Amino acid sequence: MSKDGAFQWVHVHTGQGGEKAFALDANTAGDSFFCGYMTKDFDFGDGVVKSKGGADIFVASRDKNNNLNWGWTVGDKGSEGADACIENQGKIYVTG
C-alpha cells in the first residue's frame, strides 16, 4: 500500500509446504521486510533455498517496486521461530 492507501503490488513466495510469515515492517524508503519460518525448500524469487530440517528462520526484503533486495535463512535440524522489527536507523532486529 502507498502512503495514501492505494494498492501497489503483491508477491507470493513459494515453497514445498509449511511456510509462515510472522512479521512485516517497512522503512521510510519503501522497502518491506518480512520474516517467519519454512519447513521445506523455499524460493524468495532468486532461487531455491534448501531447508536444514525442522522449521528454519527466514528474513527477506523487497524494495518499493517489489524487487528482491535480499533474503537469508538460518536453522539446523531442530525448529526455530522468528520475529523482526526495523528501527529508525535502518537496523533490523531478529529474534528466534
Side-chain angles (χ1 to χ4, degrees), residues 40-59:
K40 307 263 184 184
D41 297 349
F42 187 76
D43 189 354
F44 289 112
D46 67 340
V48 174
V49 177
K50 296 286 185 187
S51 171
K52 295 177 182 68
D56 298 340
I57 294 170
F58 70 79
V59 182

Side-chain angles (χ1 to χ4, degrees), residues 5-79:
F7 179 79
Q8 292 186 296
W9 56 263
V10 65
H11 186 91
V12 177
H13 292 273
T14 60
Q16 296 177 354
E19 304 83 27
K20 187 174 277 192
F22 287 110
L24 174 67
D25 209 342
N27 63 18
T28 56
D31 297 323
S32 60
F33 303 85
F34 52 99
C35 72
Y37 72 83
M38 60 185 224
T39 60
K40 307 263 184 184
D41 297 349
F42 187 76
D43 189 354
F44 289 112
D46 67 340
V48 174
V49 177
K50 296 286 185 187
S51 171
K52 295 177 182 68
D56 298 340
I57 294 170
F58 70 79
V59 182
S61 174
R62 290 195 166 274
D63 69 17
K64 65 182 179 180
N65 296 313
N66 195 22
N67 299 305
L68 182 69
N69 289 327
W70 50 263
W72 58 262
T73 65
V74 64
D76 61 20
K77 293 179 183 174
S79 293

